[in-house]
Amino acid sequence: MKSIWMETAEIPRRNPLTGNKRTEVVVIGGGMAGILTAFYLQRHGVHVVVLEANRIGSGQSGFTTAKITSQHNLIYSKLEKTVGKEAARLYGKANQLAVEEYGKLIKKYSIQCHYEQKDAYLYSVQESEKLLKEAETAKRLGLPASFVRETKLPFRVHGAVRFTGQAQFNPLEFLRDVSAGLTVYERTRVLNVRGNEVVTDRGVIKAEKVVFASHYPFVNVPGFYFAKMYQDKSYVMELEPVDALDGMYLGVDQKAYSFRNYGDKLLMGYGSHRTGKLPDKNPFITMKQTAEHIFPQAKEMGRWTAQDCKTLDGIPYIGTYSSLRPDWYVATGFGKWGMSSSMAAAKILSMQITGKRTPYDAVFSPQRHHLKASAMEFMSHGLESVKGLTAGAMPGAVNCPHLGCRLVWNRYDKRWECPCHGSGFEINGKICAGPAQRSIPFID
């Protein structure tokens, strides 16, 4: 399934790597986080190479709904309670600065990417108390938040949290321009990283520093990211024609929807479940029924799925990969907020790699320990991984080459999925999503 961005933006192809090379920094992953990190490093005078297994933006950056916002669901009330007011404030500030940085870049370089400033709304059709609390908390932390009773949605709400000065765009059009001056090798899959050597299927690159911006870190030790992250699936439907909304919307109720316009089209998002743990009913059927009720004049023009890495405490991992590998860096665990998180990661990592500190280092540090914030998630998702690993030990199981979990057939997406860590494989066994780094034998 192609997203609307893949249908409307074309990024010039880059050649694969040919033979062995040396550089200062290798960035693994040509999505939003990887390209922006390379972009800022190059502006700092660093010689950097980007390696991409497929095409620029062909991973999760190509399947996002592309909302540029510091409004990350009901996160600020949660963060203030679990990690403290100052950490919550810095999290919000880093993401709000990221929102503003997109606008500055797009204006400075005259990037044509359908960029529009839009307010962001969290809405509920059932209650207003938790929204009021979130608005008050976010405003207290310095964010442009307020509580409102009315919206322009075609149905009534109990209330909404409004963030002003947010934005939306076409992410692949943006990546096309930002990546234009970078050294990117496409169709070059990284197989392993050994110290300062990045081993690919087309040669070896020696680098002083390595950045893992490949959605899910695939080197298990050190770092152990497989023990502190999981992947979550959601669904997007493209509808046309639909009158433009005045903002970007996300519902906070169970089984709620998200909405944003793209011209006379509407992107409707729905669903959230652990990858490999399928809902009983096809989410697209539910979405189509809802769309026919809310937007009876609109027709479905496309559909796709998105997959997001989620950390146990809800904060991305941005910084040193492991204390045992001080020259490796990572940007992962963006949840469903990859646009602002990618920019925040790029700004933070480019500073760290060039020997500077930022006020946000400790908040996003992969070595942090927020036991209060992550204990319940660790128990819940750790149990799911144990189930998958146990099933993988049974005779006749189709196993993921990452750590051996038993794969599950996704009858909606028509692909094999790993319920432990989210790797995906096409029906013929070809890998289409990590952290696994190789395909599986053909399955009949």
Side-chain angles (χ1 to χ4, degrees):
M1 293 181 282
K2 284 189 175 182
S3 70
I4 190 173
W5 320 126
M6 295 173 173
E7 297 284 2
T8 57
E10 186 172 344
I11 301 176
R13 291 183 176 272
R14 306 296 184 89
N15 292 325
L17 178 68
T18 54
N20 302 333
K21 295 186 182 297
R22 285 181 176 270
T23 188
E24 289 183 83
V25 178
V26 167
V27 175
I28 303 171
M32 191 65 71
I35 292 297
L36 281 173
T37 299
F39 175 82
Y40 285 107
L41 284 171
Q42 187 162 288
R43 281 178 52 169
H44 285 302
V46 177
H47 188 272
V48 57
V49 166
V50 180
L51 301 175
E52 168 54 46
N54 192 356
R55 298 287 318 284
I56 293 172
S58 62
Q60 297 313 307
S61 296
F63 295 94
T64 175
T65 52
K67 300 174 183 176
I68 308 172
T69 178
S70 59
Q71 186 188 73
H72 296 176
N73 210 315
L74 297 170
I75 194 169
Y76 293 105
S77 298
K78 174 189 172 184
L79 289 182
E80 188 176 62
K81 181 179 179 181
T82 57
V83 302
K85 182 178 179 179
E86 181 60 10
R89 184 188 72 81
L90 289 170
Y91 175 94
K93 184 176 181 181
N95 280 282
Q96 184 57 34
L97 289 174
V99 172
E100 296 165 8
E101 182 68 8
Y102 274 106
K104 292 176 183 177
L105 274 186
I106 289 166
K107 182 179 180 180
K108 180 176 181 179
Y109 295 102
S110 301
I111 299 174
Q112 301 302 308
C113 59
H114 291 83
Y115 174 82
E116 297 178 274
Q117 283 202 327
K118 292 266 189 176
D119 292 345
Y121 295 83
L122 291 176
Y123 72 89
S124 172
V125 298
Q126 298 176 350
E127 61 173 300
S128 59
E129 185 177 343
K130 61 186 178 183
L131 293 172
L132 183 59
K133 180 181 179 182
E134 179 71 7
E136 292 172 346
T137 302
K139 185 176 181 179
R140 187 167 61 247
L141 295 175
L143 294 162
S146 62
F147 177 79
V148 297
R149 291 284 183 185
E150 302 290 335
T151 72
K152 297 295 185 181
L153 288 169
F155 49 83
R156 294 191 65 181
V157 303
H158 267 252
V161 182
R162 177 188 181 190
F163 273 37
T164 57
Q166 312 299 291
Q168 61 186 33
F169 70 159
N170 182 320
L172 296 193
E173 289 179 342
F174 177 82
L175 281 174
R176 177 192 59 207
D177 286 14
V178 173
S179 66
L182 301 176
T183 301
V184 182
Y185 294 107
E186 294 183 327
R187 303 183 303 283
T188 303
R189 180 173 292 279
V190 176
L191 304 176
N192 198 7
V193 182
R194 300 189 298 247
N196 69 335
E197 291 188 340
V198 179
V199 182
T200 81
D201 57 354
R202 297 179 181 273
V204 177
I205 296 187
K206 289 188 176 183
E208 297 171 16
K209 301 180 187 296
V210 180
V211 177
F212 291 80
S214 53
H215 187 62
Y216 197 115
F218 57 88
V219 175
N220 294 321
V221 181
F224 300 98
Y225 290 92
F226 65 87
K228 52 187 183 181
M229 285 204 312
Y230 63 98
Q231 297 208 57
D232 185 273
K233 199 144 197 171
S234 54
Y235 304 82
V236 184
M237 184 173 286
E238 174 192 342
L239 303 171
E240 181 187 9
V242 177
D243 292 339
L245 298 174
D246 65 330
M248 308 172 292
Y249 289 87
L250 174 66
V252 300
D253 304 321
Q254 190 175 16
K255 298 183 179 179
Y257 293 86
S258 74
F259 306 98
R260 68 147 288 190
N261 279 103
Y262 185 65
D264 63 350
K265 300 176 176 62
L266 180 77
L267 305 185
M268 184 169 80
Y270 175 74
S272 179
H273 63 85
R274 185 185 175 105
T275 303
K277 198 173 178 68
L278 299 183
D280 293 332
K281 185 177 180 180
N282 188 333
F284 285 117
I285 294 177
T286 303
M287 295 175 75
K288 193 170 184 64
Q289 292 170 344
T290 301
E292 288 171 350
H293 175 68
I294 301 177
F295 307 105
Q297 79 285 3
K299 294 183 179 180
E300 180 187 338
M301 305 301 292
R303 58 172 63 176
W304 66 89
T305 60
Q307 187 162 291
D308 299 282
C309 288
K310 303 188 80 170
T311 67
L312 300 180
D313 61 7
I315 301 173
Y317 296 127
I318 302 169
T320 306
Y321 197 94
S322 164
S323 59
L324 299 177
R325 293 291 185 194
D327 292 327
W328 290 7
Y329 298 82
V330 68
T332 189
F334 297 162
K336 299 181 183 300
W337 310 107
M339 298 301 96
S340 64
S341 296
S342 289
M343 179 64 80
K347 297 289 283 185
I348 292 169
L349 291 182
S350 61
M351 294 292 283
Q352 290 180 351
I353 290 170
T354 53
K356 303 177 184 68
R357 296 179 61 83
T358 81
Y360 317 105
D361 293 352
V363 175
F364 295 97
S365 170
Q367 285 74 56
R368 68 182 182 266
H369 297 288
H370 291 153
L371 296 179
K372 184 178 180 181
S374 58
M376 292 302 294
E377 290 287 290
F378 179 80
M379 292 288 289
S380 172
H381 294 284
L383 180 60
E384 292 294 334
S385 294
V386 169
K387 288 180 182 177
L389 287 165
T390 302
M394 301 296 289
V398 180
N399 294 344
C400 178
H402 175 232
L403 284 178
C405 291
R406 183 170 189 164
L407 297 179
V408 174
W409 175 247
N410 185 325
R411 59 186 180 275
Y412 307 137
D413 275 1
K414 300 294 188 294
R415 74 178 201 173
W416 294 93
E417 293 180 345
C418 175
C420 295
H421 309 112
S423 296
F425 306 86
E426 296 174 7
I427 192 170
N428 62 2
K430 183 180 178 182
I431 184 172
C432 56
Q437 287 302 99
R438 58 185 176 86
S439 299
I440 55 178
F442 175 77
I443 301 170
D444 191 353

